[in-house]
Amino acid sequence: MAKLKLQNLRKQFAPQVVPVKDISLEIEDGEFLTLLGPSGCGKSTLLRLIAGLEEPTAGTVAVGERNLNKVAPGNRNMAMVFQSYALYPHMTVAENIGTALKIRKTPSAEIQSRVAEVAQKLGLGSLLDRKPRELSGGQRQRVALARALVRNPDVFLLDEPLSNLDALLREQVRAELKQLFDSQNKPVVYVTHDQTEAMTLSSKVAVLKDGLVQQLDPPRRIYTHPANEFVAGFVGSPQMNLLTLRCEGQQAFLGDFRIALPDFSNPLSSVVMGIRPDDVSLATPEETQTVQGEVFLTEGLGKENLISIRIDGSDTNIRALLPADRAWEGNKVTLALLPEKIHWFDVKSGERLN
Ligand SMILES: Nc1ncnc2c1ncn2[C@@H]1O[C@H](COP(=O)(O)OP(=O)(O)O)[C@@H](O)[C@H]1O
Ligand SMILES: [Mg+2]
């Protein structure tokens, strides 16, 4: 019914300040799209363009067939939730939640029932008479969400809504958010720099860098098939190993060892090899593609240890997630680099090659 459509959006603040360069996206009803990227990549600016809080330098924002470029923010029927909860301190929880309805002159009986319904859904039912200062951070964030939900908007926009919560609470509210939006049949655009939020909440993720979309895909695909070196390095924790290797024919050289290259159409003189620490394992005798090196650093992560290895015959390091039940440091290890776990990227453009 209400597909949100962004076409060639651009926002230029000054000659050298163009946080959104050229972005086109379509978000269907019930779709949860996350804009994921490092601080300063243009996420909030894009969200503000959608909300109408910024005017685009070029391009259009539309819901369904309706072009919204000339529609004031207040008339777009979009609900926005910010990182700072921005609650009214002198109003009760119920008044905070109902305020948008009151402004729209909704009858007070209806306000009361809608506020009660949303508060119930968010576990705020017993807190309706409190003031924001009497709430915990998690409860305040829930009030901010309730305020968005009660309006029954055409589009939900959320800008880093969990950033002000501590880690434990963030995990809890994240799970609540997921349940909540699974049952909403409206487009949701969610901004975060946190890859875990992006991976857990989204039906699709748009990875942003320098005002451009680097990859638009379901979260699993972003992880298994990063479109370029930037996405590969940004998504996944611990970070993917990205090593620049010299090549000759069908082989790349890593210290004393050789790595088989896929059949690229053009011969390369060098290439970036990517492999996640989770995908590097201790070699068994049958393994053919292995590298050896010495462990010089061990970082305990609880279940596993993150090990840094200096590869023999090079000054290149590789990191591997290995069992935590042994002392690794100072030991020689032989690691398997399985061909199907390796991502290849072009040295110059950073684009994925395999
Ligand atoms: N009103 C503005 N005037 C000038 N520059 C701005 C304005 N708003 C944002 N910027 C700049 O645009 C860039 C992207 O900002 P923002 O969209 O907030 O990034 P993000 O949300 O991804 O961290 C930043 O360099 C910021 O300084
Ligand atoms: Mg921001």
Side-chain angles (χ1 to χ4, degrees):
M1 178 196 84
K3 184 200 293 189
L4 172 64
K5 206 166 162 185
L6 316 179
Q7 259 180 323
N8 301 106
L9 272 183
R10 179 178 176 86
K11 181 63 186 180
Q12 180 160 9
F13 285 111
Q16 300 302 323
V17 187
V18 194
V20 174
K21 294 208 170 76
D22 180 4
I23 291 186
S24 300
L25 291 168
E26 288 188 13
I27 304 113
E28 308 275 349
D29 267 342
E31 199 172 2
F32 194 116
L33 175 86
T34 296
L35 307 175
L36 173 69
S39 179
C41 72
K43 305 180 295 295
S44 293
T45 305
L46 181 56
L47 209 65
R48 291 170 58 80
L49 284 168
I50 300 172
L53 301 171
E54 300 286 356
E55 205 179 315
T57 309
T60 54
V61 176
V63 169
E65 294 308 309
R66 183 170 176 230
N67 182 331
L68 298 180
N69 278 32
K70 296 273 174 270
V71 178
N75 296 331
R76 291 192 181 196
N77 201 23
M78 296 180 179
M80 195 152 171
V81 180
F82 299 93
Q83 171 180 348
S84 61
Y85 326 118
L87 303 180
Y88 298 107
H90 59 284
M91 289 186 187
T92 63
V93 167
E95 287 164 345
N96 263 289
I97 299 175
T99 183
L101 300 178
K102 198 166 172 196
I103 290 168
R104 281 197 242 155
K105 308 234 177 341
T106 310
S108 61
E110 191 187 332
I111 295 181
Q112 230 175 20
S113 72
R114 277 169 70 177
V115 168
E117 188 193 323
V118 172
Q120 182 65 29
K121 214 188 254 181
L122 283 160
L124 295 167
S126 60
L127 305 173
L128 286 170
D129 295 328
R130 295 218 191 152
K131 297 276 172 64
R133 67 169 179 278
E134 298 165 313
L135 302 176
S136 70
Q139 290 166 337
R140 282 180 209 166
Q141 189 50 276
R142 257 175 253 158
V143 176
L145 284 169
R147 213 167 37 174
L149 287 167
V150 80
R151 294 175 45 189
N152 196 19
D154 292 333
V155 175
F156 287 98
L157 307 173
L158 298 98
D159 194 348
E160 312 240 12
L162 307 184
S163 299
N164 278 357
L165 307 179
D166 63 52
L168 209 61
L169 199 53
R170 202 178 310 157
E171 208 168 286
Q172 185 188 329
V173 181
R174 195 178 70 212
E176 290 169 7
L177 266 182
K178 184 161 175 63
Q179 285 182 311
L180 202 62
F181 283 107
D182 274 352
S183 60
Q184 290 288 327
N185 196 28
K186 295 289 163 59
V188 181
V189 185
Y190 186 95
V191 161
T192 185
H193 66 276
D194 180 313
Q195 49 165 312
T196 311
E197 284 173 28
M199 298 308 260
T200 50
L201 291 170
S202 323
S203 50
K204 266 195 201 150
V205 177
V207 182
L208 261 61
K209 179 188 169 225
D210 298 338
L212 291 171
V213 175
Q214 305 294 306
Q215 182 168 4
L216 173 66
D217 264 319
R220 180 79 197 144
R221 179 89 186 160
I222 300 251
Y223 184 81
T224 58
H225 281 76
N228 59 37
E229 200 182 333
F230 173 79
V231 177
F234 192 75
V235 175
S237 175
Q239 196 181 30
M240 186 188 285
N241 294 290
L242 291 162
L243 311 175
T244 304
L245 308 182
R246 188 175 63 80
C247 317
E248 226 177 86
Q250 291 290 99
Q251 289 184 320
F253 297 90
L254 177 50
D256 295 340
F257 309 92
R258 285 153 193 242
I259 313 286
L261 291 172
D263 203 358
F264 299 133
S265 40
N266 296 318
L268 301 169
S269 58
S270 60
V271 72
V272 175
M273 180 185 89
I275 186 162
R276 298 194 187 279
D278 339 26
D279 290 333
V280 179
S281 53
L282 287 177
T284 55
E286 304 86 70
E287 237 103 42
T288 51
Q289 184 158 282
T290 61
V291 295
Q292 253 187 1
E294 187 174 312
V295 179
F296 67 92
L297 183 69
T298 303
E299 295 164 85
L301 299 178
K303 181 164 174 267
E304 283 157 317
N305 282 345
L306 180 61
I307 316 283
S308 298
I309 296 122
R310 169 102 9 96
I311 293 169
D312 289 352
S314 77
D315 52 8
T316 302
N317 303 333
I318 192 164
R319 300 198 302 164
L321 269 184
L322 298 182
D325 58 357
R326 268 161 281 177
W328 294 100
E329 225 152 307
N331 286 327
K332 278 260 181 225
V333 291
T334 305
L335 302 172
L337 304 181
L338 299 178
E340 66 268 25
K341 301 290 188 189
I342 298 179
H343 310 255
W344 298 101
F345 302 102
D346 187 86
V347 167
K348 273 211 198 85
S349 67
E351 293 302 309
R352 184 184 189 88
L353 296 169
N354 63 325

